Amino acid sequence: MKNIRNFCIIAHIDHGKSTLADRLLDFTGSVTEREKQNQLLDNMDLERERGITIKSHAIQMEYVYKGETYILNLIDTPGHVDFSYEVSRSIAACEGALLVVDAAQSIQAQTISNLYLALESDLEIIPVLNKIDLPSANPEEVTDDIVDLIGCDPDEVIPASAKSGIGIEEILAAIIERVPPPSGEAEAPLQALIFDSVYNSFRGVETYFRVYDGSIKKGQQIKFMNTGKTYFADEIGTLKLTQQPKNEIKAGDVGYLITGIKEAKEVKVGDTITDAKNPTTKAISGFEDVKPMVFAGIYPVDTEDYEDLRASMEKLQLNDASLVFTPESSAALGFGFRCGFLGMLHMEIIQERLEREFEMTVITTVPNVSYHAYTKKTPDTPVIVNNPSDLPDPSYLDRVEEPYIKATIITKADFVGNVMSLCIEKRGQITNQTYLTTDRVELSFDMPLAEIVFDFYDRLKTVSKGYASFDYAPIGMRESKLVRVDILLNGQSVDALSALIHLDNAESIGRRMCEKLRELIPRQQFDIPIQAAIGAKIISRETIKALRKDVTAKCYGGDISRKRKLLEKQKKGKKRMRQVGNVEIPQQAFMAVLKLND
């Protein structure tokens, strides 16, 4: 065990985490020349295009240092704030972390939040200053920032460039010398932590785990403690670039397990694996079910594709257990699904994967968060509202609670005013303001989650000229004055456009939605009124004027009554058409609600 090192890399998006992993693999000879490629551990095209890690990976390297062979297990972490629970489980499986900071961009919000996760797990932190060869790099100043943040000596910060391979040898030496070897008892009952799982269409779910105590053998009967189910370990092994089957994996090491499980939901990240016959007494702490934060309806463009969409969603769920969906129907869009996502990025990725991998074109309704509504009959038990149409009638309603988050924003001092006014506009309350350096400020806000779901991140980047970085963590439910704003087209309510909005903003948002829809809905042969309503009260109205055929064109003389007769006839026809006419709503109209400020 003394020659094993388990470590992860924590960094803000785009600070060079995947590139550093590539260089470590090259340097330790874990990949051959033929296998080399950029972002080697990111195996989805989407990850390469966007430059973010969506699914974490683990890989084992061997490195000879001072005549001894060491096994280095790199447990990669996803890069985005939406996947912070997966990051916390990956960190829990390690003893050390490389803290990668971009020499040009300095410390950002995600760096700090992941650093706190690592410090809570008592990890040994190795600071790495990446991208020192960039012309815009500022190594001395950023080194001082790192020293202030984690309280280390300036000599401990390793200057490196993952792209050109500078400092890789020093990083490997630091991992071996500074990261403690895993502790654990080889003779104790088996105790292993699941930190990830992937779905293989031929072999079922592959579970990635780290053994704390005891050992796991091929063919052994094992038990998952939180789900209480037992399985046989059909195959176990270590994770090189390809899987290497083994007969036994001992305490301190990392490996994969195949048990023939077909349902990804049965394998939960953070669960504890133990021996079915001689189980451990305590499970590894910190396990929680991943809770969706953002909900949206996904509908097929053509109603006949509903079953295909269901099959596609089920296949996607095998690869991504944090996707939750239940069938629902809408008067405007037909049959579809109400889906729960970890955040807006997760929602975008699911939408893009449906289009790319399954060729499903879908309509997504306005995203919203999950609210708790309390009625006057049952003031203590909440009704969970994932869809605005589930909100109880206002006359029975006692109160509504909405989820709040603690938002951390790091920005340049020049943009503090802009960022503050954006957050206050989004109903945020400032709780803290700290100057990290003379030029960089950390702002903390308590904000409703619903306010950051739409366009908050884009607008934050706009008001700060791209400098501000943002991170958030949920802090529970708080009471709020919320109302449901319904949109009526031609007197018919369109449930897919309903939204729960704070009372103070309801009128202005209702007005803007009507104006936006007037631009986007094509004109028909009859007038279409667009109305925004709270209950029975209409708060805004716009009218799409009818396309009018000139019926009097053929009258070139004679009495005015001839023209009037034709116009009256046309008026009756328009009235009848309006009673039976259906209004087609284009896809842009559903997404327009997200871009009301454009």
Side-chain angles (χ1 to χ4, degrees), residues 194-464:
I194 298 175
F195 62 83
D196 200 8
S197 68
V198 269
Y199 183 77
N200 180 327
S201 48
F202 300 107
R203 315 186 64 184
V205 180
E206 298 170 358
T207 309
Y208 295 169
F209 63 88
R210 143 87 201 264
V211 183
Y212 281 97
D213 290 335
S215 67
I216 182 167
K217 298 180 180 66
K218 186 179 176 179
Q220 178 178 349
Q221 192 178 11
I222 52 157
K223 180 181 174 186
F224 290 0
M225 289 185 80
N226 284 298
T227 58
K229 297 191 174 175
T230 56
Y231 307 97
F232 283 99
D234 297 339
E235 186 184 307
I236 57 167
T238 51
L239 294 146
K240 294 281 178 65
L241 194 59
T242 53
Q243 295 171 340
Q244 309 278 327
K246 295 267 173 80
N247 286 326
E248 185 177 18
I249 292 177
K250 296 182 176 156
D253 214 343
V254 171
Y256 72 92
L257 160 75
I258 295 173
T259 52
I261 299 173
K262 292 285 182 282
E263 286 282 319
K265 284 181 280 198
E266 290 181 31
V267 180
K268 293 185 184 290
V269 171
D271 204 343
T272 307
I273 304 175
T274 188
D275 186 8
K277 297 191 180 81
N278 178 21
T280 179
T281 47
K282 66 177 200 308
I284 295 160
S285 63
F287 171 75
E288 57 181 79
D289 278 327
V290 181
K291 293 180 208 63
M293 303 283 275
V294 174
F295 294 84
I298 287 187
Y299 293 85
V301 172
D302 194 341
T303 344
E304 292 165 6
D305 297 338
Y306 174 71
E307 284 303 325
D308 296 347
L309 179 62
R310 179 196 286 276
S312 308
M313 298 281 277
E314 282 168 357
K315 283 179 186 160
L316 254 186
Q317 199 177 33
L318 293 172
N319 276 317
D320 186 348
S322 44
L323 168 67
V324 184
F325 64 91
T326 50
E328 74 164 2
S329 64
S330 144
L333 298 170
F335 290 105
F337 297 98
R338 168 89 0 200
C339 307
F341 307 98
L342 298 176
M344 286 302 280
L345 177 89
H346 189 209
M347 176 176 142
E348 266 180 61
I349 284 163
I350 294 292
Q351 217 175 321
E352 208 158 318
R353 285 183 70 185
L354 278 172
E355 284 184 16
R356 282 189 184 196
E357 295 172 26
F358 304 101
E359 292 175 358
M360 293 296 311
T361 324
V362 292
I363 292 176
T364 313
T365 64
V366 182
N368 63 297
V369 299
S370 184
Y371 300 93
H372 286 181
Y374 294 84
T375 56
K376 287 173 182 164
K377 281 184 184 171
T378 55
D380 299 328
T381 48
V383 177
I384 294 171
V385 180
N386 290 335
N387 191 345
S389 55
D390 300 342
L391 190 74
D393 189 281
S395 53
Y396 299 121
L397 208 55
D398 182 40
R399 66 186 192 281
V400 182
E401 291 182 352
E402 64 176 330
Y404 263 68
I405 54 157
K406 182 184 175 60
T408 308
I409 296 169
I410 294 180
T411 180
K412 283 196 156 187
D414 311 357
F415 306 118
V416 170
N418 297 355
V419 171
M420 273 193 186
S421 50
L422 171 66
C423 292
I424 289 162
E425 181 198 321
K426 296 281 188 186
R427 299 192 283 133
Q429 297 159 339
I430 186 156
T431 55
N432 197 1
Q433 179 179 356
T434 319
Y435 276 80
L436 301 171
T437 66
T438 50
D439 196 33
R440 293 168 66 74
V441 189
E442 182 183 353
L443 301 167
S444 297
F445 289 90
D446 286 356
M447 291 173 78
L449 176 65
E451 294 288 345
I452 67 154
V453 160
F454 295 153
D455 56 354
F456 179 77
Y457 194 65
D458 296 346
R459 284 186 63 198
L460 177 69
K461 287 290 182 197
T462 310
V463 298
S464 64

Side-chain angles (χ1 to χ4, degrees), residues 9-25:
I9 305 175
I10 50 180
H12 190 79
I13 298 165
D14 208 25
H15 279 203
K17 187 163 70 74
S18 297
T19 315
L20 178 61
D22 291 347
R23 288 298 83 74
L24 292 173
L25 293 171

